[in-house]
Amino acid sequence: MDAGTALEGLGAAEAARRLAAYGPNELPSQRRAPRWLRLLKALADPMAILLVVASATYVVLGDRFDAAVTGIALVPILLVSLVLEGRAERALDRLKQLTAPTAVALRDGRETTISSTAIVLDDLLVVQEGDVIPADGVLLRGSQLMLDESLLTGESQPVPKDAVDDGAERDLWAGTTLLSGRGVMVVTATGARTRHGAIGTLLSTIEAPATPLQRMVRRFVGQLGIGAAVCCVAVVIADLLHGSAWPAAIIAGVSLAMAAIPEEFPMVYTLYLALGAWRLARDEALIRKLPSAETLGATTVICTDKTGTLTLGRLDVDTVYPADGSDVLGAALCASEESPFDPLEQAIERAVRAAGRKRSASPLVRRYAFDPADKYVSYVRQTADGLRIFAKGSVEGILAHTAPPAERRREIEEVNRQLAARRMRVIAVAEGGIAESTGRADDERALAFVGLVAFTDPIRPDVLVSLEECRRAGVRVIMLTGDHPETAAAIGAALNFAVDHGGTIASGEQIDALDDVGLAELAAHTTIFARTRPEQKYRLVKALQSRGEVVAMTGDGTNDAPALREADIGIAMGKRGTEVAREAADLVLLDDDFTTIERAVRDGRRIFDNLKHAFSYLLAFHIPLLISALVLPIAGAPLLLLPIHLVWLELIVHPTSSLVFEADPPDADLMRRPPRRSGAGFLRAGEFARPLVVGTTLALAVLALYVWELAHAMPVTEARALALSAMVIGQLLLVLVERDPLRPLWQVPLRNNLTLIVVMLMAAASLLMLVYVPVAAAAAEFGPLTLREWGLGVAVAVSATLWYEPVKAWRQAHI
């Protein structure tokens, strides 16, 4: 196709027809289980199995009423589990929609951003540096593109592609990465029909390994399950030794198992992370890997790029040196791409246009890649004055290649220092005439210094407040920049970094010169790294992690991907980041703003806090159930908890643990605490002991009330109603106790959590219904309670659960 021919692309109607005919451009994935299979999975839940066993046992006993009630109780248990699971899945679906990759397609002659899944056969796609090729195709326009095809071939060397050279390779493959260049491709295969499709099919069968916290939760539940099984056997044996029949002993054992197995823990963990991730997305922080939502709260170091994250990322040409009519901007423009992607080159182009000039028609003859050592690029162009080479890059690099006289060099360096002290980013420009292009080394010998171009990039409005918040929260912030150390120092001082050229500012050259141990020592006290390259970020992450730090690293380029993968939290830029960087990251900033990182750390801490409160409550909730179901059968007393009661309590605990704590607002001192220790569990020893003690106190008080009333000739149904009413009231008070482990409940307002008020009212209403509605009372084997008995139950519940609140108040006042 002729390079001058206009490209129209497919029409919208034709693209829609092909999408319907051939299906979306997506690889095979782990498909969600159908509803009937999810229902079977819910039936395999330990609570559901125990209910089936209890119902069958009641049938054997000839108690059809209790058998029917226990069987019917399966319905609300399954509904609650399915509804809460559905809520988590809907939150994950919304996140998946936000993380869907996009592509630029030519539709009806216009460049249009579409979802990658909407790409169809014969689509024309615009691809540029950093993109992951979304489908198989052939390059139509573009030269000197470099592709990373290691995903398909295993070869790490970049592969050149060219649409101009007749003998060059033009095939582009889905899943490969465009390392440099820009072009237009026509799609030849999509989805599973691409070469990448076979790999995608394999990947869809692989499940991600469990995170340490997920393994901890599973291990905790498994250990409790084993303990419950041992206790169940002991209860059955004890009941049989007391002369009970087999079916009655089994009912006692089933009741204990239902009381002891904390199957809510994994569900609460997943639900809180999903809802927390959705809340982060609303704050412009997109979680790509769900467990990262809580890892954010443990972050101790944030390594952040300066440009576009701490600053607005809107470069503008501020100063040109010398200002004597030399065509510095023209030379800088000739050392740039025709359709620039880089913000610095875009700023040069805007400055040239603002001066009322147009880009000169100087065809590109040869492009020399970015030199990572001297940090510059050069271009050979055919101009009206003949063949010329243009270069731009770091002041040190250009001076090294142009070698101006000593006095002139000192003048240039002094101007550079002054501009850098004004927080400007400075580049040098050079050019020279050549007879013919024979190679980089020979061509660049003709370069002569032309001038300097200084750019401004304003600091983001709220970033100073966010940096201070991080420092107060014990989170160290390290600034990374490609700028000259003088520029980095000026910007660091403006951002309130402790700037000290003797220790807190280091350069990329120092990183290269040090071994891993030396770099770890340097990273321990350095707050600004200047003249850094993307590949040096990886070593910096490893150095900080070797000191036990939990590292968050930002990045936007393809070369940042290794560091983003290695970091505990890889943070990619959503606006200017490449697709490769976003794929490697755990978190994508939709607004590229550092303040969003600070909010994400805050939300990560909130997620962990709410999980901790929920787990404390669940622990305190199960203790009274376990002790009651264990002690009474062994003592030979009538059972307090029947399976129907445990179903009722299950219907209370699920929405309480799943909704109430997640809806709690963050604590006021959330960003005043140091980060939690890496690898620490949800509950420390003291935090584990508190719910254990309060739950045990409630259990002993309820058992004492139950046994006392039985000993004083109260009917079993009334004694059971009284004791269980005291237990449920105590469980509701436990919610208030566990909302804040440090402040007494009268300092934690109810009005900021409407979910709590609704759930508590519904639980109280269900208690009154079981006591006073005849059918419900018969099913629960409850008797009516007098006003005096209600007062006694409330008094027992209050004294058994709220006794720790004055302790909190005393500790708050004296510690």
Side-chain angles (χ1 to χ4, degrees):
M1 183 178 288
D2 192 328
T5 304
L7 298 178
E8 290 290 326
L10 297 175
E14 175 61 17
R17 187 190 68 78
R18 295 189 183 203
L19 184 62
Y22 299 109
N25 176 44
E26 58 186 4
L27 298 179
S29 60
Q30 294 175 335
R31 302 193 180 278
R32 182 170 298 165
R35 289 184 179 179
W36 64 268
L37 190 59
R38 290 159 64 193
L39 181 62
L40 286 179
K41 183 180 176 182
L43 284 170
D45 182 84
M47 182 66 68
I49 292 172
L50 291 170
L51 281 173
V52 171
V53 172
S55 184
T57 306
Y58 279 128
V59 170
V60 172
L61 287 170
D63 191 343
R64 294 183 179 179
F65 180 78
D66 280 342
V69 168
T70 309
I72 293 171
L74 269 172
V75 176
I77 288 291
L78 294 177
L79 282 177
V80 168
S81 296
L82 291 174
V83 166
L84 292 175
E85 180 184 346
R87 183 178 182 186
E89 287 182 348
R90 285 193 299 275
L92 291 173
D93 284 344
R94 292 194 292 266
L95 289 174
K96 187 177 180 181
Q97 291 169 8
L98 289 173
T99 57
T102 59
V104 177
L106 287 170
R107 295 279 174 88
D108 296 315
R110 296 190 304 273
E111 290 189 5
T112 306
T113 301
I114 62 173
S115 169
S116 291
T117 59
I119 294 171
V120 297
L121 200 66
D122 293 330
D123 249 333
L124 297 183
L125 305 179
V126 179
V127 292
Q128 61 188 9
E129 178 183 335
D131 283 352
V132 174
I133 304 301
D136 286 356
V138 176
L139 187 65
L140 294 181
R141 289 187 178 174
S143 64
Q144 298 186 17
L145 277 70
M146 299 300 291
L147 274 293
D148 176 4
E149 296 186 346
S150 58
L151 177 67
L152 294 178
T153 65
E155 297 292 334
S156 59
Q157 290 299 319
V159 180
K161 309 281 181 173
D162 202 306
V164 177
D165 188 345
D166 290 336
E169 185 179 347
R170 300 187 179 193
D171 290 330
L172 301 178
W173 307 108
T176 60
T177 303
L178 182 55
L179 299 177
S180 65
R182 178 185 173 95
V184 178
M185 64 176 283
V186 59
V187 174
T188 58
T190 61
R193 293 174 289 276
T194 63
R195 287 181 64 183
H196 192 205
I199 299 174
T201 302
L202 175 62
L203 290 175
S204 69
T205 64
I206 301 174
E207 292 189 7
T211 65
L213 274 176
Q214 286 173 322
R215 290 195 294 269
M216 183 191 72
V217 171
R218 292 174 186 173
R219 184 170 62 249
F220 179 62
V221 173
Q223 289 169 347
L224 288 181
I226 292 171
V230 172
C231 291
C232 286
V233 172
V235 163
V236 170
I237 293 172
D239 230 29
L240 291 173
L241 292 176
H242 282 99
S244 299
W246 269 103
I250 290 174
I251 289 294
V254 166
S255 297
L256 176 60
M258 292 174 69
I261 297 177
E263 82 287 351
E264 307 94 347
F265 281 78
M267 182 202 68
V268 167
Y269 175 78
T270 302
L271 181 63
Y272 274 38
L273 290 188
L275 296 178
W278 175 243
R279 190 169 53 244
L280 281 165
R282 289 184 300 181
D283 285 339
E284 306 294 328
L286 187 59
I287 291 289
R288 296 192 69 257
K289 299 168 186 176
L290 200 57
S292 303
E294 60 85 17
T295 308
L296 277 166
T299 301
T300 60
V301 176
I302 299 173
C303 297
T304 177
D305 291 320
K306 180 213 72 178
T307 304
T309 307
L310 296 173
T311 63
L312 289 173
R314 191 187 65 230
L315 288 175
D316 291 309
V317 174
D318 182 275
T319 303
V320 177
Y321 166 85
D324 58 1
S326 300
D327 193 9
V328 180
L329 285 177
L333 191 62
C334 286
S336 304
E337 293 288 331
E338 274 74 9
S339 299
F341 177 71
D342 182 81
L344 184 142
E345 294 185 351
Q346 291 175 348
I348 294 171
E349 191 173 61
R350 286 196 305 272
V352 170
R353 285 201 306 267
R357 297 165 51 193
K358 295 182 180 179
R359 175 186 282 271
S360 62
S362 302
L364 179 67
V365 175
R366 180 172 290 181
R367 175 195 297 110
Y368 293 120
F370 178 78
D371 184 327
D374 288 330
K375 301 179 180 62
Y376 74 99
V377 293
S378 58
Y379 293 72
V380 177
R381 294 185 181 275
Q382 184 66 53
T383 72
D385 298 326
L387 208 59
R388 297 189 69 79
I389 183 169
F390 302 88
K392 71 177 190 307
S394 70
V395 177
E396 309 95 290
I398 294 297
L399 288 178
H401 284 269
T402 56
E407 184 177 347
R408 173 70 165 151
R409 184 185 183 105
R410 286 194 294 272
E411 179 186 345
I412 294 168
E413 289 175 339
E414 176 60 22
V415 172
N416 177 44
R417 190 192 64 77
Q418 292 174 4
L419 292 172
R422 292 165 54 194
R423 304 200 304 270
M424 292 188 188
R425 180 176 180 182
V426 186
I427 64 167
V429 183
E431 68 170 292
I434 55 177
E436 62 176 334
S437 179
T438 57
R440 184 165 194 168
D442 290 336
D443 290 353
E444 289 179 349
R445 287 194 185 97
L447 287 172
F449 180 84
V450 174
L452 303 177
V453 183
F455 303 81
T456 57
D457 183 7
I459 292 171
R460 287 184 177 272
D462 298 326
V463 77
L464 283 170
V465 175
S466 294
L467 284 169
E468 189 57 35
E469 279 289 286
C470 288
R471 293 171 184 131
R472 281 199 290 258
V475 179
R476 184 173 158 225
V477 181
I478 296 176
M479 185 178 82
L480 310 175
T481 177
D483 290 338
H484 187 279
E486 290 287 347
T487 307
I491 295 171
L495 292 169
N496 293 334
F497 281 91
V499 177
D500 172 12
H501 288 279
T504 59
I505 299 181
S507 66
E509 288 80 3
Q510 288 174 268
I511 294 177
D512 289 336
L514 294 170
D515 60 14
D516 292 342
V517 175
L519 181 56
E521 289 297 322
L522 178 68
H525 56 77
T526 301
T527 58
I528 298 174
F529 283 90
R531 286 288 189 242
T532 53
R533 304 189 306 274
E535 56 268 27
Q536 291 172 330
K537 291 182 176 182
Y538 177 83
R539 287 195 64 206
L540 186 57
V541 169
K542 296 286 289 182
L544 289 166
Q545 289 175 332
S546 71
R547 299 183 61 85
E549 306 284 6
V550 177
V551 183
M553 171 67 77
T554 69
D556 55 12
T558 301
N559 290 342
D560 289 325
L564 294 177
R565 288 191 186 278
E566 184 63 32
D568 299 280
I569 298 289
I571 304 173
M573 302 299 112
K575 288 182 177 179
R576 70 178 191 275
T578 63
E579 187 64 32
V580 174
R582 289 194 291 268
E583 286 293 324
D586 304 286
L587 178 73
V588 177
L589 299 185
L590 301 180
D591 57 2
D592 294 6
D593 191 343
F594 181 84
T595 59
T596 303
I597 301 177
E598 182 263 321
R599 290 198 304 269
V601 171
R602 181 190 300 271
D603 276 341
R605 292 188 174 194
R606 175 185 175 183
I607 291 168
F608 190 85
D609 269 9
N610 289 345
L611 271 171
K612 188 163 67 173
H613 297 162
F615 278 26
S616 292
Y617 169 74
L618 287 172
L619 183 62
F621 179 93
H622 278 277
I623 293 297
L625 307 185
L626 178 61
I627 292 177
S628 301
L630 178 64
V631 171
L632 292 175
I634 293 176
L639 290 178
L640 172 61
L641 293 167
L642 301 176
I644 186 64
H645 303 136
L646 291 162
V647 170
W648 170 48
L649 292 172
E650 188 75 8
L651 293 175
I652 294 174
V653 70
H654 267 298
T656 301
S657 59
S658 302
L659 302 174
V660 167
F661 295 103
E662 204 282 329
D664 262 336
D667 293 340
D669 66 339
L670 194 65
M671 294 296 281
R672 301 293 181 273
R673 314 174 200 156
R676 73 176 190 274
R677 184 171 51 84
S678 177
F682 281 106
L683 301 175
R684 298 191 296 269
E687 294 170 333
F688 184 86
R690 189 194 65 257
L692 193 67
V693 170
V694 175
T696 301
T697 305
L698 177 60
L700 295 176
V702 168
L703 285 179
L705 177 62
Y706 183 57
V707 172
W708 172 271
E709 296 297 347
L710 288 177
H712 287 75
M714 178 179 278
V716 173
T717 55
E718 292 182 22
R720 180 178 289 128
L722 175 57
L724 278 179
S725 295
M727 181 181 290
V728 170
I729 294 169
Q731 299 284 23
L732 294 177
L733 294 174
L734 281 177
V735 177
L736 304 179
V737 169
E738 295 301 332
R739 285 183 71 208
D740 194 312
L742 301 176
R743 291 187 297 167
L745 63 87
W746 54 83
Q747 293 182 9
V748 185
L750 289 176
R751 64 178 180 276
N752 58 10
N753 190 334
L754 294 177
T755 304
L756 169 64
I757 297 172
V758 171
V759 169
M760 292 189 73
L761 289 175
M762 291 178 64
S766 70
L767 174 60
L768 293 174
M769 183 186 73
L770 284 183
V771 174
Y772 292 113
V773 176
V775 175
E781 299 186 27
F782 276 4
L785 298 178
T786 65
L787 188 60
R788 184 197 70 83
E789 289 164 347
W790 274 113
L792 179 59
V794 169
V796 168
V798 168
S799 59
T801 54
L802 301 188
W803 61 268
Y804 189 70
E805 298 309 285
V807 175
K808 287 184 187 177
W810 183 88
R811 289 170 61 89
Q812 188 182 56
H814 294 86
I815 296 180

